[in-house]
Amino acid sequence: MAESNCTQVTEFSLMGFTEDPVTQVTLFLMFLLIYLVTILGNLGMIALIKTSPQLHSPMYYFLGNLAFVDLCSSTIITPKMLVDFISEKKGITYAGCMAQVFIFDLFGMTECVLLAMMAYDRYMAICHPLVYPLVMSPKWCFQLVTGSYLMGLTNGMGQTISVSNLSFCSSSVIDLFFCDISPLISLSTSDTTLSHVILRTSASLLGVSSSLVVLVSYVAIISAILSMRSAEGKRKAFSTCASHLTTVSIFYGTSLFMYLKPSSDSSGERDTWAAVFYTVVTPMLNPLIYSLRNKEVKEAL
């Protein structure tokens, strides 16, 4: 009966980072700089890959799509966060919140699968170089990337439908700087069992399986690199792989921490800064790491 008398909220309030005005200005400038670097870095990477013939290979095809995904996922989060830093009312409409959940979960899972595809590509290039051109054909690469987007779309739709069926009556304050699935489930006044099952299943089947693909691929890659006789070959292979592993570790580590931790294990500040890494920092780092540590990209520049 209480559920039927519930007045559904039409707007959510976002807690953000701090109420201190000086700290808010400092954070605004810091995140504005990060966002500008993210936009310029990812757009530059896409343009460079598109216009440079020496970068028309499977590795850079995946990297171009990763840059596009980072651009979209960052844009759905950071501009709203920047506006909240300089406005008194840190709110988002119910429809806007659902849209943010859908788009972020779509591109978040797409990136998760794309990183696994990139690890598989490096495994084939280093461990099976003779059959690499045959296996990683343009058609197969297109299918892998399309599959990544479809998995992301499935995840986005599933999570959004799940959370849109929940009731929000007692509180409308989200303890984060954007609408994320975990704090929304915690905020709901209705039965959240199904939502928790969908979230954990998605994170386990797609997130954990993708991270296992990365792990297994790099165990094989490192083993193959160590058996190389050429010091130059080892250096080049380690340089390429180190770039990928750096971003993968940050992205998978923080995102799996957020979505697979127990519901009772919640710390507002810790969760906020963990979310910053996979929503704001990683999209900025990807183009920087791949350009600064990659000889082919520097030559194309």
Side-chain angles (χ1 to χ4, degrees), residues 70-82:
D70 282 336
L71 200 61
C72 295
S73 61
S74 178
T75 299
I76 195 62
I77 301 295
T78 312
K80 175 69 177 99
M81 179 176 65
L82 292 173

Side-chain angles (χ1 to χ4, degrees), residues 221-268:
I221 287 169
I222 292 170
S223 176
I225 292 174
L226 292 176
S227 64
M228 289 180 179
R229 293 182 181 180
S230 168
E232 177 63 22
K234 285 183 179 181
R235 188 200 61 78
K236 185 178 179 181
F238 268 124
S239 177
T240 303
C241 296
S243 305
H244 191 209
L245 277 176
T246 302
T247 53
V248 162
S249 299
I250 295 173
F251 180 80
Y252 280 122
T254 53
S255 56
L256 290 178
F257 162 77
M258 283 292 290
Y259 297 119
L260 289 180
K261 65 181 177 64
S263 304
S264 57
D265 183 19
S266 181
S267 171

Side-chain angles (χ1 to χ4, degrees), residues 16-187:
F17 294 86
T18 178
E19 294 296 325
D20 179 54
V22 176
T23 308
Q24 283 189 341
V25 172
T26 304
L27 289 174
F28 171 82
L29 294 173
M30 181 181 75
F31 285 119
L32 176 61
L33 178 62
I34 290 174
Y35 184 59
L36 291 175
V37 173
T38 301
I39 295 296
L40 292 174
N42 285 292
L43 281 177
M45 184 64 73
I46 293 170
L48 190 66
I49 291 170
K50 200 83 171 172
T51 57
S52 302
Q54 66 264 44
L55 300 184
H56 291 176
S57 64
M59 174 182 171
Y60 296 105
Y61 177 66
F62 290 122
L63 185 54
N65 279 277
L66 180 66
F68 172 74
V69 168
D70 282 336
L71 200 61
C72 295
S73 61
S74 178
T75 299
I76 195 62
I77 301 295
T78 312
K80 175 69 177 99
M81 179 176 65
L82 292 173
V83 170
D84 287 342
F85 277 128
I86 56 176
S87 60
E88 292 185 10
K89 187 179 181 183
K90 299 175 176 59
I92 184 170
T93 63
Y94 180 84
C97 189
M98 294 302 109
Q100 203 172 57
V101 167
F102 171 70
I103 297 173
F104 181 73
D105 281 2
L106 188 164
F107 287 111
M109 187 55 71
T110 300
E111 176 158 358
C112 194
V113 180
L114 264 178
L115 289 171
M117 296 301 101
M118 292 175 72
Y120 172 71
D121 172 71
R122 290 300 83 206
Y123 162 75
M124 291 302 303
I126 294 172
C127 299
H128 303 284
L130 296 179
V131 297
Y132 177 76
L134 295 174
V135 175
M136 300 304 292
S137 64
K139 181 180 179 181
W140 177 234
C141 291
F142 174 77
Q143 290 173 341
L144 288 175
V145 169
T146 302
S148 300
Y149 284 109
L150 288 175
M151 288 184 187
L153 179 62
T154 302
N155 179 64
M157 290 179 64
Q159 303 292 359
T160 307
I161 293 171
S162 166
V163 77
S164 63
N165 286 326
L166 299 177
S167 299
F168 302 94
C169 309
S170 60
S171 175
S172 61
V173 180
I174 298 174
D175 191 18
L176 205 60
F177 56 91
F178 73 106
C179 283
D180 197 17
I181 189 77
S182 294
L184 280 171
I185 291 175
S186 302
L187 200 63

